[in-house]
């Protein structure tokens, strides 16, 4: 019987590659029994003509910037990574709490309006 040795490692994306960054502000998600497809689009402000067309057929077309197909087994890890990054982002960009309210002057009933 062959003993299999378990090795723990971290995968680090190689920096300095030739792949350009791609901006997207919309993501459509579809799935099959085997994979999930994430289709990233860039939705720009609509022209008057596009608004009229959208009112008529309730469709806005957006150019596809990237399409990723992910195996189902990868999706829970992706969700966990997004949730953790969102938690860290929220914690580091949180607004400071407002200053505490000052109590009314002693002996008074508070402000009169």
């Amino acid at each position: 019987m062959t003993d299999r040795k378990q090795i723990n490692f971290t995968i680090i994306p190689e920096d300095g590659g030739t792949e350009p960054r791609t901006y997207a502000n919309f993501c459509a998600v579809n799935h099959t029994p085997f994979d999930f497809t994430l289709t990233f689009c860039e939705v720009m402000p609509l022209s008057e003509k596009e608004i009229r067309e959208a009112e008529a057929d309730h469709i806005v077309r957006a150019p596809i910037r990237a399409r990723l197909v992910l195996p189902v087994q990868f999706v829970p890890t992706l969700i966990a990574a997004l949730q953790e990054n969102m938690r860290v982002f929220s914690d580091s960009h949180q607004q400071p709490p407002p200053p505490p309210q000052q109590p009314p002057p002693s002996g008074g009933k508070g402000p009169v309006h």
Side-chain angles (χ1 to χ4, degrees), residues 30-100:
N30 296 311
H31 71 278
T32 71
F34 311 104
D35 55 43
F36 277 70
T37 300
L38 307 178
T39 304
F40 294 92
C41 300
E42 184 176 8
V43 179
M44 302 297 286
L46 301 178
S47 68
E48 289 297 324
K49 178 184 175 204
E50 290 168 323
I51 291 172
R52 285 192 302 276
E53 290 171 354
E55 287 173 341
D57 58 13
H58 302 282
I59 295 174
V60 173
R61 302 213 181 270
I64 295 173
R65 298 298 179 216
R67 183 173 281 141
L68 301 176
V69 180
L70 310 172
V72 171
Q73 298 82 355
F74 181 77
V75 174
T77 305
L78 174 62
I79 291 169
L82 288 169
Q83 287 175 328
E84 175 61 14
N85 274 272
M86 192 67 208
R87 184 192 64 76
V88 170
F89 172 84
S90 295
D91 289 350
S92 64
H93 293 87
Q94 192 174 40
Q95 295 291 330

Side-chain angles (χ1 to χ4, degrees), residues 8-32:
N8 293 324
F9 57 89
T10 301
I11 298 173
I12 300 173
E14 194 172 318
D15 201 15
T18 59
E19 294 299 318
R21 287 180 45 153
T22 301
Y23 177 81
N25 57 4
F26 176 83
C27 181
V29 180
N30 296 311
H31 71 278
T32 71

